[in-house]
Amino acid sequence: MFHSRSRLTTGTVLALTAALSLSACGGSKAGDEGASSTSCVDSSGDTIKLGFLNSTSGAMAISEQTVRDSLSLAAEQINASGGILGKKIEPVVEDGASDPAVFAEKIEKLLTGDCVAAVFGGWTSASRKAMLPVVEADHGLLFYPVQYEGLEASKNIYYTGATTNQQIIPAMDFLKSKGVKTLFLAGSDYVFPRTANKIIKQYAAELGIKIVGEEYVPLDDDDWTTQVAKIVAAKPDFVFNTINGSSNVGFIKAYYEQGLTAKTTPIISVSIAEEEAPAMGKDVTGQYAAWNYFESVESPTNDAFIKAFQDKYGKDRPTSDPMEAAYTSLYLYKNLVEKADSFDVDKINAAADGVSFDAPEGTVTIDGENHHIAKTALIGQINADNQFDVVWSSEKPIEPDPFLKGYAWWDPSAK
């Protein structure tokens, strides 16, 4: 069963209204579960169009450019091995400009103007929430590669990043194992951090961890001076960081300038990876992050992935979780289409359950009921080379539970 929730700004809603009023190619509307869509996707030739929609400008470019690069690598590899059902991928690229309204407009263009068979991209939950009603109305497919707050499942979206029980909850289990008693929450002011922290607060109460502060700054704001002063005053055992994009630079700057360190007040982050760590402007050695992939994962598949990426983009380019999840998403799409023997959305969805890929992070498998994938949770500690030493692992893939049905402490109606 699929459920979705949207929490959008007035500006985004107006943009979506405008986008949805455009001439479409005949997709079924959201809720028309049995409707057969008349797609404008042309799969009759030697190529198939796929949309790559990532922010290559604005506050999120620091993170999303590497996702674009990994998608391009996967497309080249797939084309070199014969394509998808014998058809070469023809990428159609767009810049989401770090703006949810732009993501909504661009995915409409890609699906109904460029007639792509699927779209790969988005980072922030605000961008995904903006795209969701568009991709559902046009009965297209979106592959979303980033960890997020859960509480969502759409028949038109495949979620290849972690949901809450594969990242946030394991991170809290790790903190409990370290004897953490007090925790401060710092996040960007939009849907992912707000919802993630709602979950964190409820699980913290279950674990006996006291929340001693909760502060937010707008996604495009880099000034964390006032909020970090409150962290200093609260003296928490740990800071749980749900900040996204370049705002992390301002947070880390204020953190160190006000005398905090990894030894006195360590941070666990869910949006700082190998790509972001060296861009923080400070030595972040000793800080922690919760992901499902690190470049340091030891396996022949990961070694081959790192070599291919660095051969293409340079030996100084690290690999990271979101770009690995994006790379994986394109291969999962290939496997979905080939299992369905079709580019048709309904046929792909019917074939989805159990489709897997031997990814750099390990074997991942699609849950056909909620379109998420089973993933192993990892906690890494940043070393002097801005790489992550794995200090905790779930040891095996965690089945996705986006609505936290398996957690008795979770109350979605609580404030």
Side-chain angles (χ1 to χ4, degrees):
M1 180 178 291
F2 293 99
H3 309 273
S4 60
R5 299 181 186 178
S6 293
R7 177 176 152 188
L8 305 172
T9 64
T10 301
T12 302
V13 171
L14 290 174
L16 287 172
T17 302
L20 290 171
S21 68
L22 296 174
S23 173
C25 295
S28 63
K29 298 303 180 185
D32 292 344
E33 298 287 343
S36 60
S37 60
T38 304
S39 172
C40 66
V41 174
D42 181 6
S43 58
S44 63
D46 296 331
T47 62
I48 189 72
K49 290 182 180 179
L50 298 179
F52 295 170
L53 178 51
N54 319 100
S55 294
T56 54
S57 63
M60 292 307 303
I62 186 175
S63 297
E64 292 191 55
Q65 179 61 57
T66 191
V67 171
R68 169 70 61 79
D69 292 342
S70 66
L71 286 169
S72 297
L73 172 64
E76 287 185 9
Q77 290 179 336
I78 291 169
N79 283 346
S81 65
I84 303 175
L85 289 183
K87 302 177 189 302
K88 298 295 180 68
I89 296 169
E90 180 184 337
V92 182
V93 300
E94 291 288 351
D95 178 12
S98 305
D99 184 339
V102 174
F103 272 94
E105 294 165 3
K106 295 294 187 179
I107 197 169
E108 175 74 14
K109 171 189 175 292
L110 287 166
L111 291 171
T112 66
D114 298 303
C115 298
V116 301
V119 177
F120 298 78
W123 182 294
T124 68
S125 286
S127 69
R128 189 193 69 258
K129 292 289 190 185
M131 291 187 285
L132 185 150
V134 182
V135 72
E136 287 187 340
D138 292 330
H139 199 42
L141 285 179
L142 168 65
F143 284 75
Y144 177 69
V146 185
Q147 46 77 22
Y148 83 114
E149 70 282 356
L151 309 182
E152 179 183 296
S154 168
K155 64 186 177 67
N156 299 98
I157 301 179
Y158 284 86
Y159 307 79
T160 62
T163 188
T164 313
N165 75 306
Q166 299 167 317
Q167 186 192 35
I168 297 290
I169 290 175
M172 291 296 291
D173 290 335
F174 167 73
L175 295 180
K176 179 66 175 179
S177 74
K178 289 188 68 67
V180 170
K181 299 294 185 184
T182 58
L183 188 63
F184 198 105
L185 309 180
S188 299
D189 194 5
Y190 75 102
V191 62
F192 164 64
R194 293 272 183 186
T195 307
N197 285 339
K198 177 179 176 178
I199 295 167
I200 288 169
K201 286 183 287 188
Q202 290 190 34
Y203 194 34
E206 178 78 7
L207 294 174
I209 297 174
K210 183 180 180 181
I211 305 300
V212 295
E214 181 177 3
E215 291 292 325
Y216 299 91
V217 162
L219 186 60
D220 57 355
D221 192 337
D222 293 343
D223 186 0
W224 276 88
T225 307
T226 301
Q227 292 76 17
V228 169
K230 294 179 181 179
I231 297 175
V232 173
K235 298 180 180 179
D237 293 338
F238 249 84
V239 177
F240 204 119
N241 170 17
T242 53
I243 302 164
N244 248 313
S246 60
S247 187
N248 267 304
V249 178
F251 171 70
I252 293 296
K253 178 176 182 290
Y255 170 95
Y256 282 101
E257 286 181 350
Q258 296 192 40
L260 300 177
T261 70
K263 288 185 177 180
T264 62
T265 316
I267 301 167
I268 187 164
S269 301
V270 291
S271 291
I272 293 179
E274 290 88 345
E275 189 77 14
E276 291 83 10
M280 290 298 103
K282 299 286 184 180
D283 181 2
V284 290
T285 301
Q287 306 291 7
Y288 297 87
W291 290 106
N292 307 94
Y293 166 86
F294 292 112
E295 185 175 319
S296 58
V297 168
E298 295 181 359
S299 74
T301 304
N302 189 39
D303 291 345
F305 170 61
I306 294 168
K307 182 179 187 304
F309 186 80
Q310 293 184 343
D311 283 351
K312 180 174 174 60
Y313 295 109
K315 299 299 182 184
D316 61 332
R317 289 288 302 277
T319 58
S320 61
D321 184 294
M323 55 88 79
E324 186 269 350
Y327 175 89
T328 295
S329 72
L330 199 53
Y331 274 97
L332 282 172
Y333 176 71
K334 175 182 185 292
N335 292 351
L336 282 163
V337 170
E338 293 182 346
K339 181 180 177 183
D341 194 29
S342 174
F343 292 97
D344 177 78
V345 172
D346 293 327
K347 292 179 181 178
I348 287 171
N349 285 343
D353 193 52
V355 169
S356 65
F357 172 62
D358 291 330
E361 68 184 83
T363 301
V364 297
T365 305
I366 294 175
D367 183 318
E369 183 178 351
N370 58 42
H371 285 190
H372 292 67
I373 64 177
K375 299 173 77 72
T376 300
L378 303 172
I379 307 294
Q381 187 172 27
I382 303 175
N383 61 34
D385 297 322
N386 287 313
Q387 289 291 318
F388 289 81
D389 298 322
V390 176
V391 296
W392 185 94
S393 170
S394 64
E395 302 296 340
K396 61 181 180 180
I398 300 171
E399 292 300 321
D401 185 1
F403 293 95
L404 301 178
K405 294 177 181 178
Y407 299 86
W409 50 263
W410 169 240
D411 179 4
S413 66
K415 292 184 179 180

